[in-house]
Amino acid sequence: MAKYYVEIPGNLSLENQSKAIQGEEALAARFVGMHIWTNSNYLLTNLAEFEEIYVAPEKKLGTPKLSKTLPKGITPAWAGQMIEQGTALPQVFLIRENPA
């Protein structure tokens, strides 16, 4: 499966960044991870990594939601650092809601 990268602006809220991930996944892709990076305008932002999906997964991925806290008993799909509304966050979790 081919991987590709999408910039997700660091000036967005976690909710809007979650929607950006969901929108990209609607194009037959799966979120892999995210890194803080400096774009071509020398702004700190987020670089999300996606993997193209050629065959529908057996289980639906569920709606992606970025959160600063991890709910008890939930295993995150991803955890790492990122920029939210211009501020670096040391730990953010991506959880999946409503998996089928």
Side-chain angles (χ1 to χ4, degrees), residues 23-100:
E24 196 64 34
E25 287 186 335
L27 301 172
R30 180 181 65 84
F31 176 83
V32 175
M34 189 171 331
H35 306 281
I36 295 174
W37 77 303
T38 304
N39 67 14
S40 61
N41 293 324
Y42 305 105
L43 297 173
L44 278 178
T45 187
N46 301 298
L47 186 63
E49 181 179 355
F50 291 90
E51 185 173 69
E52 293 177 339
I53 298 175
Y54 300 114
V55 178
E58 290 181 23
K59 287 176 50 180
K60 290 188 179 182
L61 294 174
T63 305
K65 180 183 176 192
L66 294 166
S67 175
K68 294 177 187 176
T69 59
L70 184 60
K72 197 170 203 138
I74 300 293
T75 300
W78 171 83
Q81 301 172 343
M82 60 182 292
I83 305 289
E84 180 213 14
Q85 295 180 326
T87 301
L89 301 176
Q91 189 74 32
V92 177
F93 304 95
L94 183 122
I95 57 176
R96 298 284 182 174
E97 295 184 330
N98 306 320

